């Protein structure tokens, strides 16, 4: 698939959406209509960013986005008040919104391996999410 079929967004009771291993480049704003979604797996696609509407998925527990090309997360990521798992390894993140800190009560697992970050950037994320188990690759001597 190169895009998410529109029929998916006509399923208001959908709780699990697995579209891994495709060629999807964009997560449309309509994703916010899936209010009962608990698991979203978009790993191994070609996503570059997430729409702000991702923040409307209030009951989302697992957001699996590994092996995409994501360069930044929207501040609305902090609205995912039930998120327990955020898998971002193998992306191109160079920005991390401070709003992620709002997830410090619920986020149990954050995977950021193979994302090149300075030790200072890693420390900032650890400070925002002190109770979260975070997996980083070795820090680089790169600029933030």
């Amino acid at each position: 698939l190169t895009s998410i079929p529109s029929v998916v967004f006509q399923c208001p009771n959908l709780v699990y959406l697995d579209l891994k291993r495709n060629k999807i480049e964009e997560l449309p704003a309509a994703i916010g209509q899936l209010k009962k979604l608990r698991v979203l797996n978009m790993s191994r696609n070609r996503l570059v960013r997430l729409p702000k509407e991702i923040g409307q998925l209030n009951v989302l527990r697992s957001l699996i986005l590994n092996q995409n090309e994501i360069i930044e997360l929207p501040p609305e990521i902090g609205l995912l008040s039930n998120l327990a798992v955020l898998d971002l390894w193998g992306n191109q993140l160079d920005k991390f919104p401070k709003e992620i800190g709002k997830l410090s009560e619920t986020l149990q697992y954050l995977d950021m391996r193979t994302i090149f970050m300075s030790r200072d950037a890693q420390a900032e994320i650890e400070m925002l999410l002190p109770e979260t188990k975070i997996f980083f690759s070795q820090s680089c001597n790169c600029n933030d």
Side-chain angles (χ1 to χ4, degrees):
L1 296 174
T2 56
S3 64
I4 300 175
S6 58
V7 69
V8 169
F9 304 109
Q10 296 169 15
C11 303
N13 294 318
L14 192 65
V15 295
Y16 187 95
L17 181 58
D18 187 340
L19 291 169
K20 68 180 172 277
R21 295 187 178 132
N22 282 290
K23 297 176 181 176
I24 299 170
E25 295 181 3
E26 181 183 17
L27 194 57
I31 195 70
Q33 296 172 15
L34 301 177
K35 304 286 187 202
K36 296 185 179 181
L37 201 60
R38 295 178 59 85
V39 175
L40 177 58
N41 186 343
M42 295 294 298
S43 63
R44 296 188 71 179
N45 275 284
R46 296 180 179 166
L47 299 175
V48 174
R49 57 182 44 90
L50 302 177
K52 64 182 182 179
E53 289 79 8
I54 196 80
Q56 296 172 10
L57 302 178
N58 302 37
V59 298
L60 194 67
R61 299 273 304 145
S62 249
L63 182 55
I64 304 163
L65 300 167
N66 65 61
Q67 300 178 78
N68 275 283
E69 300 166 16
I70 297 171
I71 56 171
E72 65 181 340
L73 296 174
E76 290 80 7
I77 198 88
L79 298 174
L80 299 176
S81 57
N82 287 295
L83 196 65
V85 174
L86 180 56
D87 186 347
L88 296 168
W89 78 266
N91 278 284
Q92 307 297 320
L93 284 164
D94 60 359
K95 295 178 184 173
F96 216 85
K98 66 183 181 313
E99 288 83 357
I100 196 89
K102 293 178 183 177
L103 305 180
S104 63
E105 298 288 315
T106 59
L107 193 63
Q108 299 169 6
Y109 175 91
L110 173 61
D111 194 338
M112 297 190 59
R113 290 173 293 167
T114 72
I115 297 174
F116 296 107
M117 296 185 138
S118 68
R119 181 64 199 130
D120 289 345
Q122 290 177 354
E124 185 175 331
I125 294 167
E126 290 171 332
M127 185 183 72
L128 289 169
L129 298 167
E131 303 299 320
T132 303
K133 179 75 175 164
I134 305 174
F135 297 91
F136 290 115
S137 288
Q138 188 171 353
S139 60
C140 63
N141 290 327
C142 47
N143 295 328
D144 294 358

